[in-house]
Amino acid sequence: MARKPPSRVELLRGTLDLLILRTLLLGPSHGHAIAKHIQRTSEDLLKVETGSLYPALYRLEANGWVAAFWDLSEKGKRARYYRITSLGRRQLVSERSKWEAFTRAMGLLLKPAVEEGR
Amino acid sequence: MISLFRKFTWWVQRRRKEEELREELEFHLANEADERQADGLTEDQARWAARRDLGNEMLLREDTRTLWTWTLLEQPAQDLRYAVRLMFRNRVFTAVAALSLALGIGANAAIFNALYSVLWKPLPVSRPEELVKVSISFAKSGLKDLPPIAFLRPLRSAGVFEGVFVTWADGLSFSYDGRDERVMGEVVSGNYFDVLGVRSIIGHPFTPDVRSGDWAADAVLSYNFWQRRFGGDPGVIGRTIRLNTYPFTIVGVSPPGFVGLERGTDIDVRIPLLPDGRELAQIARLSARLDRGLFTIARLKSDSSLAQAEASADVQLQEFLRTTTIPRFRDGGNQHIKLVAVGKGDIGVLRQLRTPLYVLFVLAALVLLIACANVANMLVARAAARARELAVRSSIGAGRFRLMRQMLAESLLLSLFAGALAVVIGHWVAGALVHFVPQGHVATVLDRRMDAMTVLFVLALSLVACVTFGLAPAVLTTRVNLVGMLKSDSSASIGNLSSGWFNKVLVASQVAFSLVLLVAAGIFLRTMLNLWPTDYGAHPERVLLFTMKPQGEIYTPVQRRVLAAELVRRVSDVPGVEAAGVAEYGPLGSRVSESREPIEAEPGHPVSAETDWVSKGFFDAVGLPRIAGRDFTESDKEGSPLVVIINQSLAHELFGNANPLSRTIRLAQDKAARAFEIVGVVGDSRYYDIHGAPQPAVWFTFQDAAPYMPTLHVRSSRLNTDALAAAVRHELDALDKGFPIFNVKTLEVRIEESLVRERILANLAGAVGFLALALAAAGLYGILAYSVSRRTREVGIRMALGSSARSVLWMLAREALLLLGVGSLAGLTLSVGGWRLLSERMPSPLDR
C-alpha cells in the first residue's frame, strides 16, 4: 500500500495537558512557543489548536501545575511565560505512566487484529 | 480539582485576568503573523491567517473565563440585576403589584402575629416546658383544689422540683403622689423570679433577703406600669410607694413582654408573700395563713418526668394528710396530686379572640390568593408586551429554563419587596386589632411587636406567594412561538395566550373569592347588629361608667355603704347628670360572666335568676325601663325592711300574670330565710350575657351587703362626656381620695367590648371583603382593557363592515359578563358551604 502523506492527528482528550507539561520540562516558555514546539517535535503530526491551548494553560495554572510570569520574549516583547512547578512534575510523572500503560494496552489489543487482517 | 481558594482569588482579580488573556492572545497573534510573513505571505494575509488559525476567539475567552467565574451564582445575580432594572423602569406596575401583594401578605402577617402572641408564643421565661401547676384532686367529687400554704414545705422537700412558688393576683389601691389608683397586684413567693428564670431590667427581682426567704416590703413593677406611671424613669429604684396605704419600696422592674403565667393579663406590681402565719392588716392577700390555698407552680427537675414527679409529690401529700388539721383536706377523703403543664400559659381573657382570629386567618389567606391571582394576571399581560424581548433572548441562545428563571427572579424580587412592605402594613393592622381587645376590670395586653417569628412568617409567605403568582406566568409566557414572534408584531403571536383560559380562570376565581369575603362580612355585620342590645334605652354613649375599688382592708363595710350612697347623692346633683347610681356588677361587666341564684316565691319552686346589687338611680342611669312600682330609695338601708326589684321575666316565672308588687321572695339557699318584698318591676334585658336570651333577674340594694368593687353609672344629658367625667372625678376627690376609680368608659364601649368577637369579624371581614373586591375589580378591568386593546383592529373591521356600535359593545361586554357570572356562581356556592362550616363553630346565627 502506498504511504499517504502524513495527515494531522486530532489530539486525544487529556493528552494536551501532558504535552504542555512535558514541553515545559525543557524550561519556561510562552504559549506560542509551546504550540510550535509540540508541532515541531511531533513532526507536524500534532497541531495544537490555539482555542484549546490557552484555556488549558489557564487550567493548569489554576491547578497549580504550572506557574505564570511576565517576561520579555526573544524579540523583546512582553510575553506570558509558563514554568512547570514541582506539583506539575509529579503530575507529569503520574500522567506519563498512565499514558504508557494505556498505549501498551492499546498496542496489545490492536496488534493481533492487524496481523489477522494481513 | 481546582482549589476554591484560587478560584476565588482569580474571581476577585477577574478584570486583570481578562486583560492578561487579551494581551497574551495579542502576543500569540503577533508571533504567528510574523512567522507566516517569514513564510512569504504579505503582512495583511499573515495577520488574517493567524486570526483564522486562532479560531473563535470569543469562545476561547469564554472557555478560559470559566476558571474564574461562578456561573451558578453569577447567573442568578445577573437575573436579579436585570429584574431590579425592570422594576425601576416599570414603576407603576411595580407599585401596584407590590402594594396589592403587600396588602394580602400584611393582613396575614397581622393575624398570624396576633394568633402567635395570643396562642402559640412560648412564655418569656426560661424552659417554660418544665413548669407545672400543682393541684389536689378529690377522688370523691372529682373536684380540684389549690394546695394550702402548709403543704408548700412538704412539696419542696419532694425532691423532684427545682423550685416551687405560689402566686395570687388581686386589685390593690396604689398611691404614689396625689389620688389613689387601682392597680393589679400579684402576691408571689420570694423565689418567683428565680424559679421562672426572669431577671429584672433594672434593680433586682426582689432583694436578696426576700429571695432567700425573709420578708421585706419589696415591690417589683411591670415594664408597662413602669412606663405608664413613671415614664420609664430609671430612678424609681428605692422610692416608696403605698399599696393599700402600706409603704413598699420599689426594688426592680420586670422585663417588657413578661406578664406572668396568664397570657394577656397585665399585672402592674408584684410583692412578696409574707412568711408562714404572718399577716398584714392592710393587705389581707399578703398573708400566708397556713390553710390558705394559692396557685402553686413548680419547676420539674430536668431529669424527672411529669408522672414521676406526680408520684413523688403524692407521697408527700399522703404524709401531709395524716397530720393536717385543715378541715377540707383532713375530711376530704381520698386525695391525689395533679400536675398540669403550664408552659404554654393560660390564655385567659384572650380565649374569646381565638375563633375570630382563626376565621380571619382563612379570610386573609383568601385575600392573598386574590392578590396573587391579580399579580399573576398582570405578569402575563406584561409578558405579552415583552414577548419580543423574550423571543430575541431565546433566539440568541437563552434556554427556556433560563427565561423562566429570569421571570421567577422578577417575581421573587417583587414578592420580597411586597414582604418588606407587608411588615409595615402588618404592624399597622395589628395595632388596629389591639383596639378590639376588651379592657375589663383587669387590663389586657397583647404583645404585638413584630417579632422574629412574624418576620419569618412573612418571608415564607412571600416565597410561597412568589411561586404562586410567578410560576404559572413564567411557564406560560416562555412557551413562545419564536418565528411568529420575531416576524410579526408581538400581540398577534402571544394573543392567543392572554385570551386563554388561564387569565379567565384567574379573574373568575377572584370574583368568586371576593364574593365569599363580602358574604362573610355581611353575615358577621348582620350578626353583630342583631346582637346589639336595645335593652338599655337610648344613647348608651351618654352613660359613663366608673369602676371603684374601696379596699376592704381600709374601708369597713359601713364606710363603703355610706360613701357609695353619698357619692350617688353628690353626682346626681352635678349639672348635666340625668341619673346616677351604683351597681356591684352592672350590665355586661367583665367581672362575672354571671351571678345567679335560685329564687322562690313559694318554697319548692325555685327559679334561677341573675342577681345584682344596685343603688337608687341605677335603672334610670342605664336606661332599663321601670314598668311598675318604684325605684330603690335612700330609705332602703340597713335595718329597714328588705326590698328587691325584679324584671318582667322573673315576675312572670314566679307569679304568672298576677301583680308581683308587695309579694315576697326568698333566696332558696338562704339559711336565714329572709323575705324580700318586691317593690318594683323593670323591663327585660340581656344583663350579663349579651349573646343569650334575656334571663329572669333580681336586684337587691345595699341593705345587708356592702359594695365591694362597684361601678358608678351616670347618664349625661349631653353627648360630651369628657366634661362630665372630670366633674365626677372632682366629686370623688372631694369625698375621699383613697377611693380609686378605674376602667372609666361609656356603656356603649362596654356593649362593644362584649361583642368583641362579632365586632372583630364584622369590621375586619368587611375591610378584607372590600379590599378583595377592589383587587378583583382591578383584575377584571385589567384583563378587559387588555383584551379590548388587542382587538381594536377587529373592532375597526367589524364597524367598517357595518356592525353597529351596540353589537360590538355587546360582543366585548359578553366576555366580562360571562366571567362575572361564572365567578359569582362559584362564589355563592363556596359561601354557602363556608357558612355551614362556620355556623357549627360560632353559635351566632342569622335567624335570631
Side-chain angles (χ1 to χ4, degrees):
Chain A
M1 225 193 223
R3 281 181 72 162
K4 280 187 179 173
S7 66
R8 281 185 179 158
V9 183
E10 292 249 335
L11 272 175
L12 282 172
R13 265 184 90 82
T15 50
L16 181 58
D17 290 4
L18 189 59
L19 294 180
I20 293 171
L21 290 176
R22 175 67 187 81
T23 307
L24 289 179
L25 219 47
L26 305 174
S29 182
H30 53 75
H32 188 249
I34 294 172
K36 288 295 155 212
H37 179 261
I38 292 174
Q39 204 168 329
R40 265 199 311 275
T41 317
S42 70
E43 297 173 349
D44 279 353
L45 275 172
L46 294 177
K47 165 88 167 85
V48 179
E49 294 292 337
T50 321
S52 34
L53 173 69
Y54 287 94
L57 281 170
Y58 276 75
R59 191 171 57 246
L60 291 178
E61 188 192 352
N63 283 335
W65 296 337
V66 302
F69 58 96
W70 288 93
D71 203 349
L72 289 182
S73 75
E74 54 273 26
K75 287 175 190 159
K77 277 195 200 152
R78 232 167 80 86
R80 197 158 195 261
Y81 275 79
Y82 296 89
R83 84 183 144 68
I84 191 164
T85 62
S86 55
L87 210 61
R89 283 171 207 278
R90 238 174 294 155
Q91 177 66 17
L92 178 60
V93 171
S94 92
E95 284 295 315
R96 187 154 53 192
S97 58
K98 264 192 232 163
W99 175 253
E100 277 161 3
F102 177 70
T103 47
R104 191 177 127 71
M106 287 298 285
L108 287 175
L109 283 166
L110 292 177
K111 212 177 266 169
V114 174
E115 279 170 5
E116 266 167 40
R118 245 179 210 166
Chain B
M1 189 56 215
I2 302 156
S3 78
L4 273 181
F5 173 73
R6 191 182 313 265
K7 185 156 187 172
F8 180 73
T9 49
W10 281 15
W11 175 75
V12 170
Q13 36 179 316
R14 57 191 182 282
R15 261 173 224 286
R16 223 190 71 201
K17 278 309 216 194
E18 299 255 353
E19 187 52 34
E20 276 186 357
L21 181 63
R22 197 191 53 71
E23 196 181 336
E24 192 173 10
L25 290 177
E26 223 164 67
F27 174 78
H28 178 95
L29 283 174
N31 264 5
E32 191 72 28
D34 283 355
E35 264 177 36
R36 308 247 163 172
Q37 230 171 323
D39 285 354
L41 291 175
T42 67
E43 194 186 332
D44 254 17
Q45 281 173 324
R47 244 205 340 260
W48 279 112
R51 258 211 181 274
R52 262 199 314 278
D53 188 59
L54 186 64
N56 187 343
E57 192 188 335
M58 273 303 156
L59 195 66
L60 189 162
R61 280 171 194 267
E62 198 66 38
D63 278 351
T64 315
R65 209 176 278 142
T66 55
L67 288 173
W68 57 78
T69 53
W70 309 68
T71 320
L72 276 179
L73 290 182
E74 283 188 359
Q75 281 188 357
Q78 225 171 35
D79 288 346
L80 275 180
R81 215 167 34 229
Y82 188 67
V84 169
R85 260 203 315 249
L86 265 183
M87 241 176 92
F88 276 102
R89 191 172 325 144
N90 304 316
R91 283 197 196 87
V92 176
F93 174 89
T94 306
V96 172
L99 193 68
S100 64
L101 268 184
L103 285 171
I105 299 176
N108 279 279
I111 290 164
F112 173 84
N113 185 46
L115 271 171
Y116 182 65
S117 59
V118 169
L119 299 175
W120 302 325
K121 192 192 257 177
L123 291 177
V125 302
S126 61
R127 303 189 305 285
E129 67 284 354
E130 292 175 357
L131 295 174
V132 293
K133 186 175 132 188
V134 184
S135 48
I136 296 175
S137 95
F138 293 80
K140 204 163 49 181
S141 59
L143 296 177
K144 283 189 193 168
D145 202 351
L146 299 172
I149 286 178
F151 184 54
L152 200 56
R153 199 184 296 269
L155 202 58
R156 282 185 171 141
S157 61
V160 284
F161 302 119
E162 214 175 280
V164 182
F165 66 82
V166 298
T167 80
W168 190 267
D170 199 7
L172 293 169
S173 184
F174 166 90
S175 55
Y176 177 63
D177 44 11
R179 77 159 301 117
D180 284 15
E181 53 189 297
R182 187 264 196 178
V183 297
M184 267 320 273
E186 191 173 30
V187 179
V188 299
S189 306
N191 62 344
Y192 175 82
F193 291 105
D194 293 332
V195 174
L196 287 179
V198 170
R199 271 190 285 250
S200 54
I201 57 162
I202 57 169
H204 303 280
F206 294 141
T207 50
D209 282 357
V210 169
R211 288 155 76 179
S212 62
D214 290 335
W215 194 82
D218 283 357
V220 174
L221 307 182
S222 81
Y223 182 84
N224 282 347
F225 186 59
W226 177 54
Q227 289 290 331
R228 174 162 59 83
R229 192 59 180 74
F230 296 95
D233 173 14
V236 293
I237 304 297
R239 283 194 211 159
T240 301
I241 56 172
R242 283 174 186 274
L243 297 172
N244 287 8
T245 71
Y246 192 85
F248 282 80
T249 309
I250 300 174
V251 297
V253 175
S254 60
F258 173 76
V259 293
L261 292 174
E262 189 179 333
R263 286 170 187 270
T265 307
D266 197 7
I267 300 285
D268 297 310
V269 55
R270 289 184 173 82
I271 47 182
L273 187 74
L274 282 163
D276 293 359
R278 267 182 64 186
E279 288 194 36
L280 191 66
Q282 285 90 339
I283 308 179
R285 291 298 185 190
L286 266 181
S287 80
R289 284 192 333 264
L290 287 172
D291 62 336
R292 200 176 149 212
L294 291 173
F295 285 111
T296 308
I297 306 293
R299 181 185 283 285
L300 294 178
K301 278 191 175 159
S302 51
D303 57 348
S304 53
S305 71
L306 194 75
Q308 220 178 344
E310 208 167 67
S312 304
D314 205 46
V315 172
Q316 297 292 329
L317 177 69
Q318 302 314 326
E319 178 70 26
F320 170 76
L321 290 177
R322 281 199 288 122
T323 54
T324 185
T325 53
I326 304 171
R328 67 180 186 278
F329 297 104
R330 187 187 56 201
D331 310 330
N334 254 341
Q335 295 154 51
H336 292 286
I337 289 288
K338 272 266 167 282
L339 299 183
V340 182
V342 289
K344 289 230 145 214
D346 192 345
I347 65 170
V349 287
L350 297 175
R351 183 168 287 114
Q352 53 189 334
L353 297 180
R354 191 161 51 181
T355 307
L357 284 179
Y358 278 134
V359 171
L360 282 174
F361 209 22
V362 174
L363 300 188
L366 284 184
V367 172
L368 184 58
L369 265 182
I370 293 175
C372 280
N374 232 7
V375 176
N377 234 336
M378 290 168 71
L379 281 178
V380 170
R382 193 180 64 163
R386 279 172 66 188
R388 241 194 138 73
E389 175 209 326
L390 290 179
V392 168
R393 293 188 65 176
S394 71
S395 73
I396 57 171
R400 178 154 179 221
F401 178 67
R402 185 77 208 274
L403 288 183
M404 270 169 63
R405 210 173 55 192
Q406 169 67 48
M407 305 274 291
L408 280 179
E410 286 161 30
S411 306
L412 183 69
L413 202 67
L414 193 63
S415 68
L416 288 182
F417 181 55
L421 217 59
V423 172
V424 180
I425 293 178
H427 184 74
W428 182 77
V429 174
L433 252 175
V434 168
H435 286 296
F436 289 103
V437 175
Q439 298 295 340
H441 66 289
V442 177
T444 304
V445 282
L446 199 58
D447 190 6
R448 63 185 173 89
R449 287 173 298 175
M450 282 280 148
D451 43 38
M453 203 64 180
T454 308
V455 173
L456 214 66
F457 174 78
V458 166
L459 189 67
L461 209 59
S462 306
L463 294 183
V464 169
C466 163
V467 172
T468 313
F469 73 74
L471 198 58
V475 170
L476 283 179
T477 53
T478 53
R479 197 163 52 197
V480 288
N481 171 6
L482 253 190
V483 180
M485 193 104 50
L486 284 176
K487 245 174 17 188
S488 66
D489 60 334
S490 58
S491 61
S493 41
I494 204 159
N496 49 2
L497 176 72
S498 324
S499 62
W501 54 271
F502 182 70
N503 294 50
K504 289 186 175 168
V505 167
L506 280 187
V507 170
S509 56
Q510 279 182 333
V511 170
F513 283 138
S514 55
L515 199 69
V516 170
L517 291 176
L518 281 179
V519 168
I523 290 176
F524 294 138
L525 191 68
R526 182 75 198 279
T527 308
M528 186 186 79
L529 292 181
N530 280 350
L531 285 175
W532 191 268
T534 48
D535 312 327
Y536 301 109
H539 304 304
E541 72 278 8
R542 289 192 190 171
V543 181
L544 263 177
L545 313 179
F546 304 80
T547 304
M548 295 170 284
K549 181 73 188 295
Q551 287 294 340
E553 295 93 339
I554 308 168
Y555 298 92
T556 64
V558 175
Q559 279 176 316
R560 276 180 275 154
R561 225 175 303 177
V562 169
L563 280 170
E566 179 63 22
L567 184 64
V568 170
R569 196 176 309 127
R570 279 169 175 254
V571 172
S572 303
D573 291 342
V574 169
V577 170
E578 283 180 2
V582 298
E584 184 57 44
Y585 298 120
L588 310 175
S590 61
R591 215 166 108 212
V592 277
S593 56
E594 48 192 89
S595 152
R596 284 175 162 274
E597 287 273 357
I599 304 290
E600 55 190 23
E602 301 155 35
H605 297 285
V607 173
S608 175
E610 294 177 339
T611 56
D612 199 356
W613 286 259
V614 304
S615 76
K616 74 160 198 167
F618 165 77
F619 295 108
D620 295 340
V622 295
L624 278 178
R626 286 195 277 119
I627 308 291
R630 62 170 175 92
D631 191 4
F632 292 124
T633 64
E634 279 180 37
S635 49
D636 297 323
K637 57 188 184 206
E638 192 182 10
S640 62
L642 296 171
V643 291
V644 289
I645 290 174
I646 62 175
N647 70 359
Q648 286 173 300
S649 291
L650 185 60
H652 187 78
E653 296 253 354
L654 291 175
F655 308 108
N657 291 327
N659 181 10
L661 294 178
S662 307
R663 305 281 290 263
T664 57
I665 59 166
R666 289 178 173 76
L667 294 165
Q669 285 160 355
D670 183 10
K671 290 197 178 96
R674 287 164 303 171
F676 294 84
E677 186 194 343
I678 297 167
V679 295
V681 178
V682 297
D684 288 345
S685 63
R686 286 171 280 164
Y687 196 74
Y688 287 137
D689 180 13
I690 200 163
H691 295 97
Q695 299 290 311
V698 56
W699 288 269
F700 304 92
T701 188
F702 298 105
Q703 287 180 289
D704 55 355
Y708 172 75
M709 197 198 300
T711 299
L712 176 66
H713 296 67
V714 184
R715 180 173 286 270
S716 161
S717 57
R718 289 177 305 238
L719 193 58
N720 181 5
T721 48
D722 289 350
L724 184 67
V728 170
R729 276 178 192 276
H730 180 75
E731 292 301 325
L732 267 163
D733 280 350
L735 194 62
D736 193 318
K737 284 202 174 200
F739 223 74
I741 57 172
F742 61 102
N743 201 13
V744 178
K745 58 179 66 161
T746 65
L747 184 58
E748 185 184 38
V749 172
R750 200 182 253 198
I751 292 172
E752 284 175 350
E753 285 181 348
S754 40
L755 288 172
V756 54
R757 229 170 42 177
E758 289 77 14
R759 251 163 33 88
I760 285 187
L761 284 177
N763 284 286
L764 296 190
V768 159
F770 279 106
L771 180 63
L773 189 70
L775 287 176
L780 195 61
Y781 169 79
I783 188 173
L784 280 182
Y786 179 70
S787 97
V788 168
S789 76
R790 213 169 37 77
R791 292 167 77 176
T792 319
R793 215 141 105 202
E794 181 194 336
V795 169
I797 294 171
R798 277 175 191 268
M799 301 280 266
L801 291 181
S803 274
S804 67
R806 217 160 135 190
S807 71
V808 169
L809 203 62
W810 170 240
M811 178 191 85
L812 294 173
R814 207 171 44 194
E815 194 184 331
L817 289 178
L818 191 73
L819 286 180
L820 265 181
V822 172
S824 306
L825 204 67
L828 283 177
T829 318
L830 273 175
S831 307
V832 170
W835 184 46
R836 288 237 173 92
L837 211 71
L838 187 66
S839 53
E840 282 164 21
R841 287 195 61 130
M842 263 191 59
S844 45
L846 263 182
D847 50 29
R848 182 175 288 139

